[in-house]
Amino acid sequence: MGPSVRVGLSKREDDKRRLFLVTAEDTPDALIRVLGVASVQQARLRALSAVPEGQHMAIRLEIDDQGDARAEALASRLAACPAVRGVGFGWR
């Protein structure tokens, strides 16, 4: 298993977050592509981890909750990203 990346930011207990689990190709630009989609969708990133798993990368994004419609839109955009192979999301 290769190196992993983990970034955590401070969290207040009353903050509601959405958790997105993304499976992407393990390519040099996969993580930046996923982060680019989150940025364009104006998702406020609170925590990030990315771990290589075989030929794929497991990416975990925690973002501020902005409602069901925004979460579904972000999941849809992430799924459409060329490097992404799967997306799941729920509450943190």
Side-chain angles (χ1 to χ4, degrees), residues 6 16 18 31-32 40-41 49 53 55 69-70 80 89:
R6 181 165 176 78
K16 289 186 180 178
R18 295 281 179 148
L31 180 58
I32 199 69
V40 166
Q41 292 296 304
S49 67
E53 293 182 350
Q55 295 179 345
R70 293 285 304 263
F89 72 99

Side-chain angles (χ1 to χ4, degrees), residues 43-77:
R44 187 162 195 163
L45 186 64
R46 294 301 180 181
L48 162 70
S49 67
V51 180
E53 293 182 350
Q55 295 179 345
H56 295 97
M57 180 180 297
I59 303 169
R60 177 185 168 118
L61 304 169
E62 287 183 31
I63 64 166
D64 283 349
D65 180 39
Q66 296 177 327
D68 292 339
R70 293 285 304 263
E72 290 173 12
L74 177 56
S76 176
R77 296 287 178 119

